[in-house]
Amino acid sequence: MERHIDAESRGRPEDAGLAGVPEAALTSLLDPAELRAWRAFLTRHARVARRLEGDLIARSNLPLAEYDVLFQLALAEGRRLRMNELADRVLLSRAGMTRLVDRLAADGLVSRAKCASDARGYFAVLTAGGLARLEAARPGHIAAVRRFFLDSYTAPELETLAEFLERSQPLD
Amino acid sequence: MERHIDAESRGRPEDAGLAGVPEAALTSLLDPAELRAWRAFLTRHARVARRLEGDLIARSNLPLAEYDVLFQLALAEGRRLRMNELADRVLLSRAGMTRLVDRLAADGLVSRAKCASDARGYFAVLTAGGLARLEAARPGHIAAVRRFFLDSYTAPELETLAEFLERSQPLD
DNA sequence: CTATAGTAATTGCCTGAGCAATTATCTGCA
DNA sequence: TGCAGATAATTGCTCAGGCAATTACTATAG
């Protein structure tokens, strides 16, 4: 693609504006403590999620979202969940879940079953192969969760952190 | 797409296996407190990020990633940053940043400037229009950050939370 | 000074996910 | 009963973003 370049920049950016206030600063709408907490939340999540995803794919060739679906199904009554419910638990759109289950079904890790009480509905059902795959991936993944996240905290700190993060948000 | 359906499922899932232990439960590798904290972290982030993104697009027609780039540039010395540095701050791959800056440049919100001290390098530079766009979006966005996240905490809690989330992770 | 290794940024290619529209089914109300 | 509106799931479309390869330039070792 053709790119238009406006101007040259001399020297390193640190050289500019050292004499005083550089440009009119942004009026601060968040105090530093608020900004710090918010950025820390975003940053920590992005870092942990990336490393975990990389680790899980390298070790078990499973993306985090697929792992999560297998995990939710393994916990569920009858090892099955409606597409809807699954999308809610994994925090994915319904369309996204349809395709995710498509992929898992293509790999034989889940199958679909019609819902007898509602002809519109389907269950995603964990297969034996899916359970085996999950069990194989789980120890390594959990070790990674510890290494990248849980190990940073003592037991009482974890309680506090969980309580903080579980606080409900407005629904509007 | 053609889908293969294995079996029918009678009744609602709650009807199955109420008589006792349903299936062999997953051996627990995380204790409940650990699992709870970890899931809370994932869930809270997913929820907050989605609502924030929706809000920001609805209000200002800016995706969060674009907002974030404008914000980082506005804070930077000379309102410019190397592509590299920008990618690190926004936690995006370099390739992703190239394209993100492409889009912002197409909208006139940033421009590119060659780096005089390293001919391989470019700066992304915030334009006046970009700054205006950021300033227009900022109050609403910050209000949303408060509503969906910050308002859940008192000032001392925010300090604690920030400290928790800033803890460093292993680098290997 | 040259060759070799390293780094900045970009591009090709591909995948995963969201929105809006669609289809099939269900529910409630006249 | 039968119709209007909600709901379950899927599909078409589109787009953002990652990895690996590429290009251009810089730094270093001999």
Side-chain angles (χ1 to χ4, degrees):
Chain A
M1 188 201 288
E2 191 65 29
R3 255 186 258 289
H4 175 75
I5 306 300
D6 287 295
E8 290 237 342
S9 243
R10 307 223 123 262
R12 292 173 310 170
E14 290 76 38
D15 297 340
L18 284 181
V21 181
E23 290 82 15
L26 295 176
T27 57
S28 61
L29 303 177
L30 285 177
D31 68 57
E34 289 177 315
L35 182 57
R36 179 178 158 230
W38 173 237
R39 301 293 312 178
F41 180 62
L42 292 182
T43 302
R44 187 81 199 259
H45 179 272
R47 294 221 165 98
V48 172
R50 275 235 241 173
R51 305 185 75 180
L52 227 46
E53 176 98 28
D55 180 273
L56 189 56
I57 289 177
R59 246 189 248 288
S60 310
N61 195 32
L62 271 181
L64 206 43
E66 298 191 8
Y67 178 94
D68 218 25
V69 167
L70 298 181
F71 181 68
Q72 294 298 334
L73 290 176
L75 291 183
E77 204 67 56
R79 299 210 195 289
R80 71 192 53 214
L81 285 170
R82 293 283 294 267
M83 296 300 294
N84 231 333
E85 182 60 26
L86 201 46
D88 286 349
R89 296 200 191 186
V90 181
L91 296 165
L92 212 64
S93 71
R94 281 139 200 234
M97 186 50 69
T98 292
R99 269 133 189 172
L100 182 37
V101 168
D102 281 349
R103 273 174 267 143
L104 290 170
D107 290 349
L109 306 182
V110 309
S111 61
R112 274 180 228 259
K114 299 186 66 155
C115 175
S117 62
D118 183 341
R120 294 167 302 181
Y122 283 89
F123 291 95
V125 187
L126 190 62
T127 64
L131 182 58
R133 189 78 179 281
L134 173 64
E135 290 293 26
R138 212 152 67 97
H141 178 58
I142 288 175
V145 171
R146 283 192 202 288
R147 197 163 64 253
F148 298 142
F149 186 75
L150 296 171
D151 283 353
S152 303
Y153 309 106
T154 65
E157 284 172 348
L158 267 188
E159 291 286 346
T160 303
L161 186 56
E163 192 275 310
F164 282 179
L165 294 172
E166 279 169 351
R167 290 193 187 167
S168 63
Q169 307 154 58
L171 298 170
D172 55 300
Chain B
M1 189 202 287
E2 190 66 29
R3 255 185 260 289
H4 175 73
I5 305 300
D6 287 295
E8 290 237 341
S9 242
R10 308 222 124 262
R12 292 174 309 171
E14 291 77 38
D15 296 338
L18 284 181
V21 181
E23 290 82 14
L26 295 176
T27 58
S28 60
L29 302 177
L30 285 177
D31 69 58
E34 290 176 314
L35 182 58
R36 179 177 159 231
W38 172 237
R39 300 294 310 180
F41 180 62
L42 292 182
T43 302
R44 187 81 199 258
H45 180 272
R47 292 221 166 97
V48 171
R50 274 235 243 174
R51 305 184 76 179
L52 228 45
E53 176 99 26
D55 180 273
L56 189 56
I57 288 177
R59 247 189 247 288
S60 310
N61 196 33
L62 271 181
L64 207 44
E66 298 191 9
Y67 178 94
D68 217 25
V69 166
L70 298 181
F71 181 68
Q72 293 299 333
L73 289 176
L75 292 182
E77 204 68 55
R79 299 208 194 291
R80 71 191 54 215
L81 285 170
R82 294 283 294 267
M83 297 301 293
N84 231 332
E85 181 61 26
L86 201 47
D88 286 349
R89 296 200 192 186
V90 181
L91 296 165
L92 215 64
S93 71
R94 281 139 200 235
M97 186 49 70
T98 291
R99 267 131 191 174
L100 182 38
V101 169
D102 281 348
R103 271 173 269 145
L104 291 169
D107 291 347
L109 306 181
V110 309
S111 61
R112 281 182 162 89
K114 299 185 65 154
C115 176
S117 61
D118 184 340
R120 294 167 302 181
Y122 283 88
F123 291 94
V125 187
L126 190 63
T127 65
L131 183 57
R133 189 78 179 281
L134 173 65
E135 290 292 28
R138 212 153 66 95
H141 178 59
I142 288 176
V145 172
R146 283 191 202 287
R147 197 161 65 252
F148 298 141
F149 186 74
L150 296 171
D151 282 353
S152 303
Y153 310 106
T154 65
E157 284 173 346
L158 267 187
E159 291 286 345
T160 304
L161 187 57
E163 192 275 311
F164 281 180
L165 294 172
E166 279 168 353
R167 291 194 186 165
S168 62
Q169 308 153 56
L171 296 169
D172 55 302

